[in-house]
Amino acid sequence: MHVSTKWNKEMVSLQTPICDFGKKAVDFSLPGVDGQTWTLEKCRGENGLLIMFISNHCPYVKAILKKLVRDTNQLRELGVNSVAIMPNDTFAYPEDSFANMLEASRRNAFSFPYLLDETQQVAKAFEAVCTPDFFGYNSDM
């Protein structure tokens, strides 16, 4: 994840932290490109939720985007919903602007909410370190 100066300047990480399997999902309330405000409860599926931190400009996200859309559709069939959260500074990375998020969602036929984390507080609460970064939760969140 490319990070604004609001974040630690050394945010670029080459090591993913060890997963804390007992950690509960953090609640959030973020605007989506569909005009709705989304919360953790509104996003969750009957059998769980995949929370993805992605961005439009990230070459790693671009490389997996078709498979990401395919896989999230398959997860939905299993009762596991998905949500994508974009935490980047949209001034530093104009490709990640809200308008471009809307276009990316339409162009790639996202079947999941695509949300803007303008303050980066949600990404920090989840301890996201890069894009893409994935957090999977069961039905108990």
Side-chain angles (χ1 to χ4, degrees), residues 3-74:
V3 186
S4 78
T5 55
K6 294 178 194 173
W7 284 52
N8 180 341
K9 290 185 179 185
E10 297 179 24
M11 185 65 183
V12 175
S13 177
L14 301 177
Q15 295 181 354
T16 302
I18 302 292
C19 181
D20 180 355
F21 288 102
K23 187 174 180 179
K24 292 279 191 181
V26 178
D27 199 9
F28 56 82
S29 179
L30 295 171
V33 298
D34 60 359
Q36 296 185 52
T37 298
W38 290 85
T39 62
L40 179 68
E41 186 60 32
K42 193 172 178 180
C43 291
R44 74 187 294 175
E46 178 182 338
N47 294 320
L49 178 64
L50 174 63
I51 299 174
M52 308 172 287
F53 289 89
I54 68 171
S55 66
N56 297 339
H57 86 274
C58 175
Y60 301 106
V61 172
K62 289 177 182 180
I64 65 163
L65 200 51
K66 287 188 189 316
K67 290 180 181 179
L68 183 140
V69 170
R70 179 200 67 199
D71 293 350
T72 56
N73 288 334
Q74 290 174 345

Side-chain angles (χ1 to χ4, degrees), residues 75-88:
L75 284 171
R76 190 177 61 231
E77 291 174 11
L78 299 172
V80 178
N81 285 351
S82 300
V83 61
I85 300 174
M86 203 299 296
N88 287 348

